[in-house]
Amino acid sequence: MTHNADKTTTLLGARPLSEDGSHVLPSPMDIVIRGGNIEAIRPAGEAPPEGDAVDASGTLAVPGFINGHHHSHENFHKGRYDRLPLELWMNYVRPAKPLPLTPDDVYLRTLVGACQALLSGTTCIVDDFNASPVLDREHLEAALDAYDDIGIRALLGPTLFDVPFHESVPFVHEECSPETLASLAPNKVTPAADYLRLVESLAATRHPRDNRVGVLLAPSAPQRCSDSLLGEVRALADRTGLPVIIHVQETRLQAASAWHQRGKTLFQHLDELGFLAPGTSLIHAVWLTPDDIARIAASGASVQHNPNSNLKLGSGLMPMRALLDAGVNVSLGTDGCGSLESTDMLRVVANTALIHKLRGDDYRHWIGAEEALEAATLGGARALGMEQRLGRIATGMRADLVLYRLDAPAFTPLNDPLRQLVFGENGGGIHSVWVEGEQVVADGQLTRLDQRRISQRIDQAMQRLRPAIEAAEEMTETLRPAYERIWSRCQALPLAPGTIAARFDE
């Protein structure tokens, strides 16, 4: 429940984004927040301030960004990898031998991603949290505690799968020796059913409908989940109303191997299983056919776009305009810090409005700043089934918003504040960040925790963990030749007919 049930605050004289998100209101407004919700938006000075009065004159008020995809378990790997495609990179951040983490390590690594998120204007983050191969309830609770303590809104889902990661890789039994395969298999594995039961039990006290920090369902990917597990996830989501996130066809390898092995795309497979539904986010969805897009649109599912991660890993550029034209909701996210190094959604929003101008010759249909901003706010809320509570500045909505100083360099001179926010702001102009009506960032600093102290504690933890990370990386290096052969073989496999090219070399 909200931590500000009795608190009232009036933000005086801000210029908010319009309720439909298409433009910034021309005149200053007072925003009244009561009990964590926006109670009123009225012309500045029309009525006396209620509760605590906060001078917000000369600021732009926008809904806080919703980071629809993050992996907090990658935060210790920040900055360690570059020039690797997903299939070669993945084993480094999910080593066969798990790192010797304490609950405090998990707490700290969760905080560091949340720090950067808040300080760059994100008020909600979705954490696809690797808790495998053995479920440790204390680790999960530590991550939830971190989000509780720092003040951000968060939805955390322990990653669900019942097909080991290496078993989902095509040709792995042909290219890896029996000894290598044995080394990749964990000695002990918590059954997926135990993870499902845990999420269902947590939903009673951690449902995101009613709690700032909640849980959701996070099946890893169709190739890593049996059809029966996917059916159980769908049934649990329908029964509880929990959101669902699942990776689908992020790379050419995944798209080509699905067609090679199944004779259908993974989107078609999920649709035939009845898995696609509103409140379900298809993460990445880079490689699509027109039939895939039609199926997603008919189902009401969302596509969760992570452009910066897709660029860093060379995965490709998804067809955002085709998705939007078909009526598909698109949300935005950063992905994990092992691939991208950052939870800064300002970079993601800017790149969304930039890189999609590479697709299509009709400039009138390029993705614009307004669409990128909507995907990062209301699009993120729709993806989670929370559009009645998040993603807009309107009465009755949660008071999750960010104020930017209009005298900051990005807005000087002030011509179009929405476009200048998307293309020019780097976070330096943030006046304050509010989550459920509580100011969690003021003057560039967290209000609840000391970011510098968090960084110091992370450095101390890394001194102990770095040898284990390096040892895991050395083991992964021994897998590189086999995985490079697999990757090369899959590049030669054909894609499903009609697949929309996502790379320039296709």
Side-chain angles (χ1 to χ4, degrees):
M1 303 297 290
T2 178
H3 297 284
N4 299 289
D6 301 318
K7 186 174 178 58
T8 300
T9 303
T10 303
L11 306 180
L12 301 172
R15 287 184 58 188
L17 193 68
S18 62
E19 187 170 331
D20 67 1
S22 65
H23 63 283
V24 175
L25 298 184
S27 301
M29 309 292 283
D30 293 343
I31 303 172
V32 181
I33 301 168
R34 192 186 310 277
N37 294 331
I38 298 173
E39 185 174 89
I41 303 171
R42 61 198 184 202
E46 182 180 78
E50 301 175 39
D52 295 339
V54 175
D55 183 6
S57 59
T59 68
L60 166 68
V62 300
F65 295 135
I66 296 173
N67 184 343
H69 190 52
H70 172 57
H71 293 290
S72 65
H73 59 266
E74 295 179 10
N75 283 336
F76 286 138
H77 297 267
K78 187 183 296 184
R80 298 185 72 88
Y81 317 111
D82 191 14
R83 295 196 299 181
L84 285 174
L86 177 85
E87 287 76 19
L88 300 184
W89 160 83
M90 187 179 293
N91 288 315
Y92 290 98
V93 295
R94 298 185 72 106
K97 183 180 180 182
L99 300 178
L101 299 172
T102 67
D104 192 56
D105 294 333
V106 174
Y107 178 82
L108 290 170
R109 77 176 186 191
T110 306
L111 281 181
V112 74
C115 285
Q116 187 178 30
L118 281 176
L119 292 170
S120 53
T122 290
T123 55
C124 178
I125 193 164
V126 178
D127 188 352
D128 192 339
F129 177 89
N130 177 34
S132 65
V134 178
L135 178 60
D136 188 325
R137 177 75 180 255
E138 289 187 352
H139 285 189
L140 196 66
E141 294 288 356
L144 292 168
D145 288 346
Y147 291 130
D148 277 333
D149 290 350
I150 201 169
I152 198 170
R153 186 179 303 282
L155 293 86
L156 183 146
T159 308
L160 305 166
F161 59 95
D162 56 357
V163 177
F165 262 64
H166 70 281
E167 292 287 351
S168 70
V169 177
F171 309 126
V172 70
H173 284 272
E174 299 175 28
E175 298 293 349
C176 291
S177 68
E179 294 76 19
T180 297
L181 293 171
S183 72
L184 292 172
N187 295 326
K188 185 179 179 183
V189 176
T190 301
D194 290 3
Y195 287 86
L196 275 178
R197 279 193 292 269
L198 175 60
V199 176
E200 184 169 19
S201 69
L202 286 171
T205 56
R206 289 279 191 180
H207 201 294
R209 251 191 329 245
D210 309 308
N211 296 273
R212 177 174 59 78
V213 177
V215 295
L216 81 170
L217 290 158
S220 180
Q223 68 272 25
R224 294 188 281 271
C225 295
S226 65
D227 291 354
S228 61
L229 176 57
L230 291 172
E232 292 172 26
V233 170
R234 181 74 271 154
L236 181 55
D238 293 343
R239 189 164 66 248
T240 61
L242 288 175
V244 180
I245 58 173
I246 183 169
H247 300 75
V248 192
Q249 292 195 186
E250 178 177 357
T251 66
R252 190 194 188 283
L253 182 150
Q254 293 174 4
S257 59
W259 183 252
H260 173 74
Q261 293 168 343
R262 301 172 187 261
K264 63 178 73 171
T265 71
L266 294 177
F267 301 100
Q268 183 181 347
H269 180 63
L270 290 173
D271 188 34
E272 291 173 353
L273 291 176
F275 189 86
L276 303 181
T280 295
S281 295
L282 308 174
I283 305 167
H284 299 297
V286 173
W287 296 84
L288 292 150
T289 68
D291 177 70
D292 293 333
I293 294 174
R295 288 171 184 268
I296 297 167
S299 74
S302 294
V303 164
Q304 203 291 304
H305 183 29
N306 307 284
N308 291 11
S309 173
N310 296 154
L311 288 169
K312 176 84 179 293
L313 296 172
S315 300
L317 179 63
M318 56 86 96
M320 184 170 174
R321 171 55 65 205
L323 287 160
L324 293 177
D325 285 352
V328 176
N329 178 61
V330 175
S331 68
L332 298 183
T334 58
D335 210 350
C337 286
S339 64
L340 186 63
E341 282 72 56
S342 171
T343 53
D344 182 354
M345 283 285 287
L346 283 164
R347 296 184 182 193
V348 170
V349 176
N351 275 344
T352 300
L354 292 170
I355 63 172
H356 288 280
K357 291 177 171 68
L358 294 175
R359 189 185 290 281
D361 294 330
D362 188 347
Y363 64 87
R364 292 165 297 187
H365 287 85
W366 287 345
I367 298 297
E370 298 83 0
E371 290 162 308
L373 185 59
E374 179 176 343
T377 52
L378 185 55
R382 287 195 195 106
L384 300 170
M386 300 177 73
E387 65 270 27
Q388 300 306 315
R389 294 181 287 280
L390 302 176
R392 292 182 295 138
I393 297 181
T395 56
M397 306 295 282
R398 294 281 194 266
D400 291 11
L401 47 89
V402 182
L403 302 182
Y404 295 86
R405 293 184 296 103
L406 288 173
D407 63 356
F411 298 101
T412 306
L414 189 63
N415 291 308
D416 187 305
L418 189 155
R419 291 176 184 164
Q420 288 170 254
L421 169 67
V422 170
F423 292 119
E425 179 55 50
N426 64 4
I430 289 179
H431 168 282
S432 53
V433 178
W434 303 74
V435 178
E436 284 199 356
E438 178 184 352
Q439 188 172 2
V440 292
V441 172
D443 301 320
Q445 301 295 322
L446 303 173
T447 62
R448 286 184 166 210
L449 300 174
D450 185 337
Q451 184 266 321
R452 289 187 178 86
R453 177 60 182 149
I454 293 167
S455 296
Q456 290 168 357
R457 291 174 64 192
I458 283 274
D459 286 342
Q460 292 167 4
M462 278 298 292
Q463 290 177 21
R464 174 173 49 81
L465 290 170
R466 190 169 280 111
I469 293 173
E470 291 172 351
E473 289 173 343
E474 288 178 10
M475 178 184 174
T476 300
E477 281 295 315
T478 67
L479 304 174
R480 277 283 289 274
Y483 271 73
E484 286 182 349
R485 291 193 299 272
I486 290 168
W487 191 80
S488 296
R489 286 181 67 173
C490 288
Q491 298 313 299
L493 294 177
L495 294 160
T499 297
I500 300 167
R503 288 180 55 91
F504 291 127
D505 52 7
E506 283 298 320

